[in-house]
Amino acid sequence: MPRDCRRDSTARTALSISAAATPLATTPRTRPAARGFTLIEVLVALGIVAVALMAGLQAIGSLSQQADRQTLSMLGQICAENELIRLRLRRQLPDTGNSQVECLQLGRALQVDLAVQPTPNPNFRRVDARVSSQGDHVLQLSTVMGR
């Protein structure tokens, strides 16, 4: 074996023996690349998710309130139309004045205020049906009834 090769192999053996003999704390080691997210990145992501969830909850709440108002308006219209039809079915000219009728729809008590007023033509009367729920105005229907 040539002399250079022997020197090379002896140097390698000496290096491996000395590396094995030294404790781990003294050998300089490179840290593997960190994987994962930092605390700041996680907190920012949580903040973004929280804001998005709050916006979604507000949108759902708004849709729910709008659906409730629409339902109440529909029920009020049913009550008002029922009272106007009741007056038409009597087949007589309604008496002038005001009256109140309670209308129960889907478990909700609605108040229908009927106002009958004379018109310039004595053969016709104006009838206004105002619907309210717990004192809040829901809607108003008006019509003219004749003989």
Side-chain angles (χ1 to χ4, degrees):
M1 202 182 253
R3 197 169 175 194
D4 288 335
C5 289
R6 258 190 287 159
R7 196 180 319 163
D8 236 6
S9 70
T10 342
R12 272 192 232 145
T13 309
L15 182 62
S16 64
I17 290 173
S18 68
T22 59
L24 292 176
T26 60
T27 58
R29 297 180 75 174
T30 59
R31 198 171 187 189
R35 294 184 187 162
F37 300 103
T38 65
L39 179 61
I40 297 296
E41 291 170 334
V42 170
L43 289 176
V44 167
L46 282 175
I48 291 170
V49 168
V51 168
L53 286 175
M54 289 302 294
L57 285 174
Q58 285 180 348
I60 289 172
S62 176
L63 288 174
S64 176
Q65 288 175 352
Q66 180 62 28
D68 191 42
R69 282 193 298 266
Q70 186 176 9
T71 300
L72 187 60
S73 179
M74 181 191 66
L75 295 176
Q77 186 167 358
I78 290 171
C79 287
E81 287 177 350
N82 282 347
E83 290 305 312
L84 295 176
I85 290 170
R86 184 182 60 79
L87 288 176
R88 280 200 176 103
L89 289 175
R90 288 179 38 201
R91 297 200 179 260
Q92 1 177 345
L93 202 57
D95 296 329
T96 58
N98 296 333
S99 63
Q100 291 184 343
V101 179
E102 187 168 324
C103 177
L104 188 64
Q105 294 287 331
L106 287 177
R108 295 184 182 189
L110 302 173
Q111 190 72 29
V112 182
D113 297 324
L114 291 173
V116 181
Q117 302 170 354
T119 61
N121 186 337
N123 292 323
F124 294 101
R125 299 275 161 80
R126 176 185 168 147
V127 181
D128 296 318
R130 290 182 198 95
V131 181
S132 57
S133 172
Q134 299 174 351
D136 295 331
H137 176 74
V138 175
L139 71 94
Q140 176 175 337
L141 289 180
S142 297
T143 190
V144 175
M145 292 187 179
R147 291 182 191 224

